[in-house]
């Protein structure tokens, strides 16, 4: 029998028979094998039931890690789907967007669930968890998978099989219920022990722990304005009949995508126009502050909003917040000793506020520039004075934080929060995470305009998200308006650029697991050529060819 070499995190290795499963050697992976959720095999995340038939380096995937948290949430969603199938047979369960540390769900009926129904659903999940039922991963033929999804009335999953046609389909099964999840699950239901279900809107929230505290649920923090934006887009998608990857793929294959692209762009432009109307209605707004997480499209949004404001008689002027960085010697450092340009203290808040106060007093102000190579601010002689119809636009991660503009009266400020919140799902039970949308945007942009590989972008993404959690997300509810910058046709466009970049990440790199996951995710979409993207689309900020100058 073929022998293979398995290497463990402590550097030790053993010889084993090819075909051994990760579960059989879990005791060698860490001191608490009962906590292992999955295993990293040559930098690919795999279930514990996976067999190993080549030389491999192994590492346990544990709770409290980014990978472990993703597996926990995915498995929790699977248990919920199985419980809903048992409690509400014949009724589709539909996953929505994330809200706080939870996912929003509805039933196909759109009728609110009663407290009794929610209690029944939660109790069924708890009984499955207490029974520690095994979660099986099986491989079906394409034909057998079609029969399975037809018999289970999983409509969107079955429709997607018309466009994604592999000869083998990986299916997960628990307690007689089968479904597709695009990543490994825990080996049994007993691994999932912290969750809650709470009523919300016309549905409910499936709540889960934060990555940093896997043993408890964080307090629920409602963001009704963000939920309202999502609901508006969800209703829009239903009206057009495009709510899933399958329905979008159907449009692409019928060569009807261009009409949908025009409609999506027009709807987003209307949302921007609505915000411009809100600014005009406030009468005394002097500065518009635009904030949002990485790759949410802040730059293009500021340009498109400027056009709408011009149409209303304003003369927008842009102030570059990056120009107000303090000198390199004064820039704070993070816990790793690197310069932290994302913290508020990296900006000369005092000088910014003095300049704004002077501008609003009708004075002429010299505008700074910043040399990132030298790490110093300088002046070129460029100045700015505001006339009666002028309005400032400033975009940056701290825009919603009043500590950025403490000397400016609240009545002068209008704050906008951006989020790339697609209303599409992969199918009934698999959502499209906002962070995945933004990460793929950034991978494409970093490659095309910053000379970075996909591995480079993936490697720094945890740090980017940490900054967002500290400096952006806590201030979402301070926004006067929220704008969804996702375009529901963008992933088929970005796919064309991202897939070759992701395939260049190799199994010796730690980023391979994330690259592989993103490739599986993008495989759900048929491509759309870049030539179909309008010149002023937000997508052009990432793929290039924009009519705007950046």
């Amino acid at each position: 029998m073929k022998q293979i070499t398995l290497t463990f995190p402590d550097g030790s290795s053993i010889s084993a028979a090819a075909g051994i499963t990760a579960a059989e050697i879990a005791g060698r992976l860490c001191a608490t094998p009962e906590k292992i959720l999955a295993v990293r095999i040559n930098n690919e995340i795999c279930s514990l039931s996976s067999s190993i038939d080549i030389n491999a380096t192994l590492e346990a995937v544990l709770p409290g890690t980014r990978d472990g948290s993703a597996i926990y949430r995915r498995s929790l969603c699977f248990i919920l789907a199985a419980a809903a199938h048992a409690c509400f047979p014949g009724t589709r369960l539909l996953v929505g967007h994330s809200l706080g540390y939870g996912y929003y769900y509805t039933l196909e009926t759109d009728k609110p669930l009663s407290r009794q129904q929610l209690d029944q659903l939660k109790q069924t999940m708890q009984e499955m968890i207490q029974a520690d039922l095994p979660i099986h991963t099986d491989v079906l033929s394409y034909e057998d998978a079609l029969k399975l999804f037809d018999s289970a009335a999983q409509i969107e999953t079955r429709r997607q099989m018309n466009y994604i046609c592999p000869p083998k389909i990986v299916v997960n099964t628990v307690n007689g219920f089968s479904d597709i999840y695009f990543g490994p699950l825990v080996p049994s239901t007993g691994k999932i022990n912290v969750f809650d279900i709470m009523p919300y809107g016309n549905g409910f929230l499936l709540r889960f722990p934060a990555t940093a505290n896997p043993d408890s649920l964080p307090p629920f923090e409602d963001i009704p304005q963000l939920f309202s934006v999502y609901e508006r887009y969800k209703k829009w998608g239903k009206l057009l009949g495009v709510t899933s990857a399958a329905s979008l793929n159907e449009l692409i294959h019928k060569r009807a995508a261009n009409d949908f692209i025009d409609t999506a762009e027009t709807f987003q432009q209307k949302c921007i126009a609505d915000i411009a109307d809100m600014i005009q209605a406030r009468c005394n707004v002097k500065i518009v502050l635009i904030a949002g997480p990485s790759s949410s499209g802040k730059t293009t949004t500021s340009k498109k909003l400027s056009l709408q404001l011009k149409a209303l008689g304003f003369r927008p002027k842009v102030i570059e917040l990056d120009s107000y960085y303090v000198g390199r010697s004064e820039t704070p450092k993070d816990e790793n000793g690197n310069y932290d340009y994302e913290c508020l203290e990296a900006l000369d808040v005092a000088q910014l506020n003095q300049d704004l106060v002077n501008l609003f007093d009708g004075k002429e102000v010299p505008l700074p520039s910043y040399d990132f190579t030298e790490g110093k601010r300088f002046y070129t002689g460029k100045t700015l004075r505001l006339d009666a119809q002028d309005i400032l636009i400033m975009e940056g991660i701290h825009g919603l934080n009043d500590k950025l503009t403490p000397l400016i009266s609240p009545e002068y400020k209008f704050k906008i929060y951006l989020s790339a919140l697609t209303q599409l799902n992969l199918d009934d039970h698999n959502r499209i995470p906002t962070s995945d949308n933004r990460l793929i945007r950034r991978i494409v942009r970093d490659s095309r305009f910053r000379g970075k590989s996909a591995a480079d972008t993936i490697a720094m993404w945890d740090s980017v998200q940490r900054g967002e959690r500290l400096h952006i997300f806590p201030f979402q509810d301070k926004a006067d308006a929220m704008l969804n910058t996702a375009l529901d046709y963008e992933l088929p466009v970005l796919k064309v650029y991202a897939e070759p970049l992701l395939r260049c990440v190799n199994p010796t790199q730690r980023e391979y697991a994330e690259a592989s996951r993103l490739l599986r995710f993008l495989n759900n979409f048929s491509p759309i050529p870049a030539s179909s993207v309008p010149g002023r689309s937000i997508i052009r900020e990432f793929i290039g060819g924009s009519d705007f100058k950046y």
Side-chain angles (χ1 to χ4, degrees), residues 79-89 91 107 113-129 195-199 204:
I79 295 171
L80 170 67
H85 178 74
C87 293
F88 316 118
T91 302
L107 294 183
L113 281 80
S114 67
R115 169 55 69 179
Q116 183 180 3
Q117 287 176 310
L118 291 178
D119 288 345
Q120 178 191 7
L121 186 60
K122 182 176 179 179
Q123 182 179 347
T124 302
M125 293 179 68
Q126 289 172 331
E127 290 172 353
M128 292 174 62
I129 290 167
F195 79 97
D196 195 14
I197 288 177
M198 63 171 282
F204 62 90

Side-chain angles (χ1 to χ4, degrees), residues 148-429:
L148 172 65
F149 298 129
D150 277 332
S151 64
Q154 296 189 35
I155 297 171
E156 292 300 329
T157 306
R158 172 60 184 85
R159 286 178 69 192
Q160 183 70 326
M161 293 295 102
N162 294 331
Y163 309 103
I164 310 299
C165 310
K168 299 177 182 179
I169 312 292
V170 177
V171 174
N172 307 110
T173 302
V174 66
N175 205 29
F177 172 78
S178 298
D179 204 354
I180 290 179
Y181 282 82
F182 300 95
L185 305 179
V186 296
S188 64
T189 56
K191 299 277 187 182
I192 307 299
N193 49 20
V194 181
F195 79 97
D196 195 14
I197 288 177
M198 63 171 282
Y200 192 91
N202 283 340
F204 62 90
L205 290 177
L206 176 65
R207 304 200 61 235
F208 43 73
T211 299
N213 298 291
D215 297 323
S216 63
L217 292 176
F220 174 62
E221 297 180 5
D222 197 5
I223 311 174
Q225 193 175 8
L226 189 63
F227 181 77
S228 177
V229 170
Y230 169 77
E231 284 288 275
R232 182 182 185 185
Y233 266 81
K234 198 69 178 175
K235 289 177 181 176
W236 173 81
K238 284 183 178 179
L239 286 172
L240 295 183
V242 182
T243 59
S244 67
S247 52
L248 179 57
N249 287 336
E250 186 174 356
L251 279 182
I252 295 169
H253 282 259
K254 288 182 176 179
R255 299 185 179 181
N258 285 344
D259 283 346
F260 180 69
I261 289 170
D262 291 341
T263 305
E265 293 283 353
T266 301
F267 183 61
Q268 187 178 82
Q269 191 60 42
K270 183 184 185 309
C271 293
I272 295 172
D274 290 345
I275 292 175
D277 290 340
M278 292 171 64
I279 293 169
Q280 184 185 44
R282 281 265 298 267
C283 299
N284 50 2
V285 174
K286 296 187 176 182
I287 182 169
V288 178
L289 297 150
I290 301 175
S294 174
S295 301
S296 56
K298 295 184 288 292
T299 304
T300 303
T301 298
S302 66
K303 293 180 181 298
K304 298 183 88 164
L305 179 63
S306 292
L307 290 176
Q308 291 294 336
L309 290 171
K310 285 180 181 178
L312 296 176
F314 292 97
R315 288 197 297 264
K317 308 290 184 182
V318 176
I319 284 189
E320 301 288 347
L321 193 57
D322 287 359
S323 299
Y324 284 88
Y325 278 124
V326 298
R328 182 80 39 84
S329 61
E330 301 173 63
T331 302
K333 294 184 178 181
D334 62 21
E335 65 275 12
N336 299 317
N338 300 316
Y339 290 112
D340 186 358
Y341 287 104
E342 294 190 340
C343 68
L344 186 63
E345 292 74 21
L347 295 169
D348 191 340
V349 173
Q351 185 62 56
L352 171 65
N353 279 261
Q354 187 58 58
D355 286 352
L356 292 176
V357 168
N358 288 338
L359 283 169
F360 298 153
D361 285 344
K363 298 177 183 177
E364 188 173 23
V365 170
L367 292 179
S369 298
Y370 192 84
D371 186 328
F372 281 90
T373 303
E374 297 292 328
K376 33 169 118 162
R377 192 162 69 237
F378 65 96
Y379 290 84
T380 62
K382 184 179 179 181
T383 62
L384 178 64
R385 183 195 297 274
L386 297 182
D387 295 325
Q389 294 303 113
D390 291 342
I391 186 170
L392 287 179
I393 294 181
M394 189 163 64
E395 54 104 343
I397 65 173
H398 299 288
L400 305 185
N401 185 351
D402 280 326
K403 290 183 179 180
L404 176 70
T405 52
L407 300 185
I408 308 306
S409 171
E411 64 179 340
Y412 290 167
K413 296 184 280 192
F414 191 95
K415 303 173 188 174
I416 304 173
Y417 175 74
L418 309 185
S419 181
L421 190 70
T422 180
Q423 59 89 21
L424 290 178
N425 290 328
L426 294 181
D427 55 31
D428 287 353
H429 303 152

Side-chain angles (χ1 to χ4, degrees), residues 4 23 50 52 59 86 112 127 134 195 205 215 272 339 366 408 419 424 434 456-457 490 500 515 537 549:
I4 57 175
S50 300
I52 310 169
E59 181 183 340
E127 290 172 353
F195 79 97
L205 290 177
D215 297 323
I272 295 172
Y339 290 112
I408 308 306
S419 181
L424 290 178
T434 299
D456 291 335
T457 301
E490 70 178 87
S537 172
K549 293 182 180 179

Side-chain angles (χ1 to χ4, degrees), residues 104-114 117 201-204:
Y104 178 64
Y105 281 86
T106 57
L107 294 183
E108 183 183 19
T109 59
D110 268 344
K111 293 180 180 178
L113 281 80
S114 67
Q117 287 176 310
N202 283 340
F204 62 90

